[in-house]
Amino acid sequence: MTEFSPNAPNPNELESLLLRLRRKEGTWVEWGQACATLQKGGYGSQKIFEETGFEPIQQNQVIVAAQVYTSMVSAGVSEEVRQHFERIGSDTLYEFRILSQSERAAAATFVLAHKLDSTDSREVAKAMKEFSRLRTLPNGFSNHPGDALAYMYWKLARQQSDLQARSRLIASGLRFAHSDTARQQVEKLLTDFTVTPKRPAPTLPVYRLDSEEELPRIVPLAGKLPLGAGEFKAVPMIDESGAFRIVKFAGNGAWVAIPGWQVILGAEDPVGILCDRSLLPNQQTSSGEELLVVCDRAAREWDANSYFIVEQAEQLQIQWLEEEIDIPILGKVIVVMRPKRILDEEVTKDLWQIDE
């Protein structure tokens, strides 16, 4: 298989890669490597699409899947698995991006053995990821993709009161259970009809700013008297922006004004994160309203009634953790702020218009 240089490619190499993609020469793994090389060489995803016909979403899939393929092969898989996924399966390997290198190899071997499609592979990846976060292995279940999937179905079945749905989940658990002990654990549900209610996710602490007193402004500090005129004049002018009046400065940071609520005052190491509402968990609306999530980086002890900041696939995520799991907690969400609705900010600056 052709390997592409990790160094910046020259124009001739880029043209050659474009031609190969346009003709769809080579394997999908080579397509992913070629797209990654072109992007590294300065080509945007839209430009690559115009030149080759590979849509941006397809480029992303083959780039990520090719990286998963490479790490999977490095971890060690059979020749049968390697050859199969070299020919087809970018959509399947793309689902394994959230797994570690060794987990990717095990997952690929498992889905090929069971002839699972990309939708089933997504369930495998999810089950393995959640299984790997547990501090200890559940009783009877081994650290195998099949047992991880069986455990997921076993857990879902115990929460299901509808007998028909429960039976389907038990059947799925028995289908994928790898060890005899895991199979025995699932089989127990055939005679044990106890329902373990699923713990409902707690309500996110979302508040909207409603009063002017809750909209403080950030003021730069010149120092403490006595001060010279030069020091006073040297204080830079601040420029507020956005619904939360964010203030940026010449260094590597910014500030945002937070009301002095007790939950804020009680935080030991508060940090703000801006995000769209649609990115928060358990939202019934797809609203893109910008919210300010305030977390306390010093609060890293798990509890079932809070949301936490964790790292997943090298990105920050806001999650509710139903059980204490073996994953680093980076902070606890203490409040989610919605901006105050202001119909016309220019009008509020003129007091005589407000009085009228």
Side-chain angles (χ1 to χ4, degrees):
M1 180 183 297
T2 304
E3 293 292 338
F4 298 98
S5 171
N7 300 320
N10 60 49
N12 291 334
E13 289 176 325
L14 295 177
E15 286 297 327
S16 176
L17 293 177
L18 287 172
L19 182 61
R20 296 186 64 191
L21 286 175
R22 196 176 300 126
R23 295 175 175 175
K24 288 185 169 55
E25 296 177 350
T27 66
W28 70 262
V29 179
E30 292 175 312
W31 299 348
Q33 294 172 332
C35 288
T37 304
L38 287 166
Q39 290 186 10
K40 183 178 180 180
Y43 279 78
S45 58
Q46 185 61 33
K47 180 64 175 177
I48 296 174
F49 169 56
E50 294 170 358
E51 293 283 345
T52 66
F54 277 79
E55 296 183 357
I57 189 172
Q58 185 182 9
Q59 294 173 41
N60 180 63
Q61 177 177 304
V62 293
I63 288 173
V64 174
Q67 294 169 348
V68 173
Y69 173 86
T70 300
S71 66
M72 173 194 77
V73 172
S74 297
V77 292
S78 68
E79 189 64 16
E80 179 188 6
V81 173
R82 188 194 67 78
Q83 290 183 359
H84 171 83
F85 285 106
E86 184 180 18
R87 292 184 294 103
I88 57 174
S90 64
D91 52 347
T92 292
L93 294 189
Y94 177 81
E95 301 298 340
F96 298 157
R97 65 193 183 279
I98 63 174
L99 301 178
S100 67
Q101 186 177 37
S102 59
E103 288 172 342
R104 290 170 177 177
T109 302
F110 178 78
V111 298
L112 180 59
H114 287 268
K115 296 180 173 57
L116 303 180
D117 59 19
S118 59
T119 301
D120 293 328
S121 298
R122 186 182 303 118
E123 291 298 306
V124 173
K126 177 184 176 183
M128 292 180 66
K129 189 66 177 180
E130 293 179 353
F131 197 78
S132 68
R133 289 173 171 175
L134 299 175
R135 291 183 179 275
T136 58
L137 291 177
N139 184 35
F141 294 89
S142 68
N143 191 21
H144 183 277
D147 279 11
L149 199 55
Y151 175 75
M152 182 185 74
Y153 287 121
W154 173 84
K155 186 176 179 181
L156 291 174
R158 294 177 70 224
Q159 298 169 352
Q160 184 59 251
S161 58
D162 181 86
L163 291 181
Q164 188 173 3
R166 184 184 178 99
S167 297
R168 285 197 298 267
L169 291 168
I170 293 174
S172 295
L174 292 174
R175 175 191 174 191
F176 294 113
H178 174 74
S179 65
D180 292 336
T181 52
R183 175 175 291 276
Q184 291 169 7
Q185 288 295 98
V186 178
E187 287 177 343
K188 288 179 181 179
L189 298 182
L190 295 172
T191 55
D192 181 2
F193 299 100
T194 304
V195 177
T196 304
K198 181 179 180 180
R199 178 183 292 168
T203 303
L204 274 167
V206 180
Y207 297 88
R208 183 180 294 281
L209 302 175
D210 285 325
S211 67
E212 294 298 327
E213 290 77 11
E214 294 176 341
L215 287 172
R217 298 183 64 184
I218 293 179
V219 179
L221 181 64
K224 186 176 181 179
L225 293 177
L227 289 172
E231 294 175 278
F232 180 76
K233 293 178 180 178
V235 177
M237 179 180 293
I238 64 173
D239 182 22
E240 296 179 331
S241 63
F244 292 101
R245 295 180 177 177
I246 297 172
V247 175
K248 296 183 179 180
F249 73 115
N252 297 319
W255 296 274
V256 60
I258 305 294
W261 296 326
Q262 190 60 43
V263 67
I264 299 295
L265 295 177
E268 182 179 339
D269 184 17
V271 175
I273 302 172
L274 288 173
C275 78
D276 291 338
R277 183 172 180 177
S278 58
L279 298 180
L280 290 177
N282 301 318
Q283 294 300 292
Q284 300 301 319
T285 176
S286 58
S287 169
E289 180 183 38
E290 186 176 61
L291 303 178
L292 177 64
V293 178
V294 183
C295 65
D296 186 357
R297 293 194 299 187
R300 297 190 292 270
E301 290 295 324
W302 173 85
D303 72 80
N305 297 312
S306 300
Y307 286 81
F308 294 93
I309 307 295
V310 298
E311 182 183 10
Q312 185 173 1
E314 301 181 353
Q315 292 186 340
L316 292 183
Q317 299 284 336
I318 300 173
Q319 293 185 3
W320 170 57
L321 306 176
E322 183 178 2
E323 301 175 354
E324 187 172 6
I325 57 180
D326 191 17
I327 181 176
I329 293 176
L330 305 182
K332 173 183 174 181
V333 175
I334 56 177
V335 70
V336 180
M337 295 172 57
R338 301 174 67 184
K340 175 178 172 60
R341 287 198 180 101
I342 299 178
L343 299 179
D344 190 344
E345 284 192 310
E346 294 303 317
V347 171
T348 63
K349 295 178 182 178
D350 297 323
L351 296 179
W352 65 271
Q353 292 193 47
I354 297 177
D355 290 339
E356 287 185 350

